[in-house]
Amino acid sequence: MARAPQGPRLLLAIVGALVALTYQTRRKTFISVREVPASASVVVTTLDYVTKEFNKKSEDKYNFRVVRVPKVVQKLTDHMEYHIDVEMRRTVCFKSEANNCSFQDGELYKKIDCFFSVSVLPWFEKYKLLTKNCTDG
């Protein structure tokens, strides 16, 4: 009796293994997910980055500044991701002026609530804004 050729079966097994391996490398595997304090040094520098990016891309003629940070979640994979809930308010400073300004009151008062997701490599001081979602508060 003749045996059936094993080549096609072996080829199918190799292709299946490659597809499964490719799928696994695309998935993010979180090493840890934890809430961290807003006072942590890497969070402070990340907040500076997102505030500057927000003000740069905002069409408002005034700068905004962080008022409160209700929650920060750190996700650790091959890099660090910070998911930050932020409350921001409009300041009296125009975009060309310094950032450490008092907040607007009265008619120009404006508060916004934002969620930022940021990829951070703190040892290289590299930041990348992944998600920004802001609503008027």
Side-chain angles (χ1 to χ4, degrees), residues 12-23:
L12 183 61
I14 290 172
V15 168
L18 288 174
V19 167
L21 186 62
T22 303
Y23 175 74

Side-chain angles (χ1 to χ4, degrees), residues 5 10 12 28 56 66-67 80-81 83 85 96 98 111 115 120-121:
L10 181 61
L12 183 61
K28 277 189 185 176
K56 193 186 314 180
V66 173
V67 178
M80 282 195 247
E81 263 181 41
H83 296 211
D85 291 321
S96 59
K111 181 184 90 122
F115 170 80
V120 180
L121 294 172

Side-chain angles (χ1 to χ4, degrees), residues 41-42 45-47 49 118-122 125-129:
S41 62
V42 67
T45 57
T46 303
L47 283 168
Y49 168 77
V118 185
S119 171
V120 180
L121 294 172
E125 296 181 8
K126 292 194 180 222
Y127 305 89
K128 181 180 179 187
L129 189 59

Side-chain angles (χ1 to χ4, degrees), residues 47 50-51 64-69 86-89 103:
L47 283 168
V50 295
T51 303
F64 281 77
R65 200 174 66 164
V66 173
V67 178
R68 196 170 68 91
V69 183
V86 178
E87 183 182 302
M88 300 175 85
R89 278 185 53 194
F103 295 111

Side-chain angles (χ1 to χ4, degrees), residues 28-32 74-83 117-124 126-128 130:
K28 277 189 185 176
T29 304
F30 295 111
I31 296 169
S32 80
Q74 177 192 59
K75 293 186 176 185
L76 185 60
T77 60
D78 58 340
H79 63 279
M80 282 195 247
E81 263 181 41
Y82 286 93
H83 296 211
S117 178
V118 185
S119 171
V120 180
L121 294 172
W123 44 92
F124 294 120
K126 292 194 180 222
Y127 305 89
K128 181 180 179 187
L130 303 173

